[in-house]
Amino acid sequence: MTSLQQCFVKEVIEQVKLIEVLPSSAENDNCDLGVHEFSDLAGLSSYVEDGRERDFTYRFISICQRNSWRPLQITKPMMELLIGGLELGDSLWELASCFYVRNMDVEEVFCMPFTERRTGSVVEAAYTIRYPEFKLESNKWVIRQTGVYHRTNFKTSQNLCVLFNPMPGAKASQKAQEWLFDHSRNSDFEPLWLHRVLHETYLPSWRSYIAYFERQFLPMALTTFATFIEEPSTQTSSHLTTLARLENRFLQIPAILSSSEDVLKELSELCKFGQNDKTQAAASPSSVDFENFRRQCGAFSRTASYLHQRAQTTAQLLANTLSFREQLDTRKQNENMLNLNKSVVFITTLTLLYLPPSFIATFFGMNFFDLDDENNRIVSTSMIWIYVVASVILTAATFIIYHMLLEGGPFGKRKMVLPKAGEWNQLKIWVRKRSTFAEKNALTV
């Protein structure tokens, strides 16, 4: 588990917000609603001391991060006071441990599982969910995380919720506050309304998220399936990197949504706990909503799994196409080399044919020989040995230098120089790995 010191700040910048709904009085049938904001330990301590014995219907606490990679905007002493003063469960510490300082996208698919504790009529539940959100400033999708802690007393109908948000002004936090302001006058609260608001706010964005990456994937898939090996193509090995990135995106979606499905299943079961004539009417619609949300998660997960397998097939086909195209280019180069070798053989044959006469003509054309016209004979000088000695020395020196360069030195052993692995060699290794993976995970039609 991450150190809790990384989960909290030393000085609060974004205030902790608490909305308290008080029960209706005999003189006034409407519930009173109070809004409190805390930025230091003193203010929170004053509220806890004053409200320890105060009766309430609902308490909603919103704590945020500055951004998804920063700690929660609450100090550790404030969190300790909040848990101790309001008698919250230890699962809130575990929930807070999911929001910590990070400098890379670690635990990108981890979600705290639905954790439930029951003590008599008091039920505590905590979990986190991940969801996609589109950032307008950078024009891209990101995966964010939010957490919920809920303590409800079915006997006294008191509820307390803590919502951890990934940024100030998160959509779920705003909608939760709007819901409280709109329904604070109702004496009968729907116990699990916050969970319904949370999922109906973030769950639909999965469809847009999947469609966004599908629009990037389809042009490459269509081009890959319409490409012939013999024809030129604009697709290169860099497209394999893009397909691998899309595969990773599609792969993480079912992992995240499966956690949300488990949470929704447990929430649907929680709706049936502690029901009486007063709460049954409110709990039943929530149970139906949670089941509908769970079915949506299943539909999104199946779509992502299909696209992931299709991306695998496309990447495998593209890798094979590039490999076959390389083999075709290699075959053409071999044919050119064969034709070149034939030309070399022909030239070598001509050279061997003309070399002896050329040598004889050159040898007797040297100044070491002369023609004696009177005696009709060829006369040679006694200095002919200079030519023989110079030729032998030069030939020996040539062979010695050649072997020195070939073997790395006059007494050294031959050194084997391996060529560096180029881009296509890396591609061959990748193709072999992908071929094995595709055989084990073949797409079933």
Side-chain angles (χ1 to χ4, degrees):
M1 182 183 295
T2 305
S3 174
L4 289 176
Q5 295 295 338
Q6 302 180 27
C7 303
F8 307 104
V9 295
K10 296 182 179 179
E11 182 179 355
V12 176
I13 299 177
E14 301 292 339
Q15 293 181 327
V16 177
K17 195 167 188 177
L18 187 148
I19 301 177
E20 185 178 48
V21 180
L22 302 178
S24 58
S25 59
E27 296 81 7
N28 188 3
D29 293 336
N30 297 329
C31 298
D32 295 329
L33 186 143
V35 180
H36 309 272
E37 293 182 344
F38 310 103
S39 58
D40 52 26
L41 183 62
L44 182 60
S45 178
S46 176
Y47 168 81
V48 171
E49 291 297 329
D50 294 341
R52 191 184 299 273
E53 302 297 332
R54 185 167 56 240
D55 191 17
F56 68 94
T57 301
Y58 208 99
R59 281 175 177 164
F60 171 75
I61 303 173
S62 178
I63 304 172
C64 70
Q65 300 171 279
R66 296 296 301 277
N67 59 63
S68 299
W69 287 12
R70 307 308 301 167
L72 293 168
Q73 284 294 304
I74 186 173
T75 63
K76 190 175 181 181
M78 291 176 67
M79 179 63 76
E80 292 173 346
L81 177 62
L82 201 64
I83 293 176
L86 301 181
E87 299 179 354
L88 306 183
D90 292 336
S91 56
L92 189 57
W93 288 114
E94 184 179 356
L95 185 66
S97 68
C98 298
F99 301 83
Y100 56 90
V101 178
R102 64 190 77 186
N103 54 13
M104 63 179 64
D105 200 10
V106 296
E107 295 187 330
E108 63 177 359
V109 298
F110 173 77
C111 297
M112 176 182 168
F114 187 89
T115 305
E116 182 179 341
R117 291 182 175 87
R118 300 183 181 183
T119 306
S121 60
V122 177
V123 178
E124 293 178 307
Y127 62 89
T128 63
I129 63 169
R130 290 185 178 270
Y131 61 92
E133 188 171 69
F134 189 74
K135 294 179 64 175
L136 293 176
E137 58 272 16
S138 58
N139 196 31
K140 67 178 182 179
W141 285 89
V142 294
I143 299 295
R144 300 196 186 278
Q145 175 184 225
T146 189
V148 179
Y149 169 85
H150 185 190
R151 189 194 68 185
T152 180
N153 190 325
F154 286 97
K155 183 177 180 180
T156 61
S157 298
Q158 290 181 330
N159 291 271
L160 188 148
C161 284
V162 180
L163 182 64
F164 290 149
N165 301 291
M167 58 185 298
K171 292 181 180 179
S173 179
Q174 292 179 351
K175 288 192 174 183
Q177 295 177 39
E178 293 173 0
W179 193 96
L180 277 175
F181 287 122
D182 294 339
H183 296 79
S184 61
R185 298 182 180 278
N186 298 335
S187 58
D188 295 333
F189 266 93
E190 180 185 355
L192 303 178
W193 66 269
L194 179 61
H195 308 276
R196 178 176 53 79
V197 169
L198 180 68
H199 285 88
E200 72 182 7
T201 300
Y202 293 137
L203 190 59
S205 59
W206 279 111
R207 183 176 179 181
S208 301
Y209 178 77
I210 296 173
Y212 173 81
F213 290 106
E214 186 176 6
R215 282 191 289 269
Q216 296 182 19
F217 165 70
L218 286 179
M220 287 190 292
L222 296 176
T223 304
T224 300
F225 280 93
T227 299
F228 293 93
I229 299 175
E230 297 83 1
E231 297 179 356
S233 174
T234 57
Q235 290 187 315
T236 61
S237 56
S238 61
H239 289 83
L240 291 173
T241 304
T242 304
L243 285 173
R245 178 179 61 84
L246 292 175
E247 278 187 55
N248 181 63
R249 290 290 187 179
F250 293 139
L251 179 62
Q252 70 179 0
I253 295 174
I256 296 175
L257 288 176
S258 63
S259 178
S260 297
E261 287 187 74
D262 294 339
V263 168
L264 290 167
K265 181 180 178 181
E266 296 298 332
L267 288 174
S268 181
E269 293 294 328
L270 187 60
C271 290
K272 304 174 184 178
F273 179 79
Q275 286 188 0
N276 50 41
D277 295 338
K278 183 178 180 181
T279 61
Q280 184 174 6
S284 297
S286 294
S287 178
V288 173
D289 290 337
F290 292 145
E291 286 297 322
N292 290 333
F293 292 149
R294 189 172 64 85
R295 296 185 188 100
Q296 289 184 37
C297 288
F300 297 148
S301 181
R302 288 189 294 271
T303 303
S305 297
Y306 162 75
L307 290 173
H308 175 247
Q309 292 186 358
R310 188 175 177 185
Q312 280 185 332
T313 305
T314 303
Q316 181 62 52
L317 178 60
L318 178 58
N320 291 338
T321 301
L322 294 175
S323 178
F324 292 149
R325 183 168 294 157
E326 179 196 3
Q327 295 178 15
L328 182 62
D329 294 339
T330 303
R331 188 179 68 180
K332 291 181 179 179
Q333 292 178 2
N334 291 337
E335 292 176 354
N336 294 333
M337 290 298 297
L338 182 60
N339 294 331
L340 183 61
N341 289 338
K342 291 180 180 179
S343 301
V344 171
V345 170
F346 178 72
I347 294 173
T348 303
T349 303
L350 291 179
T351 302
L352 293 176
L353 178 64
Y354 289 106
L355 182 60
S358 300
F359 173 74
I360 295 299
T362 303
F363 181 77
F364 285 103
M366 292 187 299
N367 293 330
F368 292 108
F369 298 94
D370 193 11
L371 181 62
D372 187 359
D373 294 334
E374 295 180 358
N375 299 320
N376 195 22
R377 64 176 183 174
I378 297 175
V379 180
S380 64
T381 179
S382 60
M383 302 294 289
I384 190 67
W385 63 269
I386 296 177
Y387 168 74
V388 176
V389 172
S391 298
V392 171
I393 293 175
L394 183 60
T395 302
T398 301
F399 276 96
I400 290 174
I401 293 174
Y402 168 74
H403 283 285
M404 288 176 63
L405 295 176
L406 183 64
E407 298 179 0
F411 304 103
K413 296 182 179 180
R414 178 173 297 182
K415 298 180 180 179
M416 182 178 294
V417 180
L418 297 177
K420 295 183 179 179
E423 181 181 4
W424 288 109
N425 291 335
Q426 295 290 341
L427 179 60
K428 288 179 181 178
I429 297 174
W430 190 87
V431 167
R432 286 196 293 269
K433 291 182 179 179
R434 292 303 303 264
S435 299
T436 305
F437 183 81
E439 291 175 0
K440 295 180 180 179
N441 301 272
L443 179 60
T444 303
V445 180

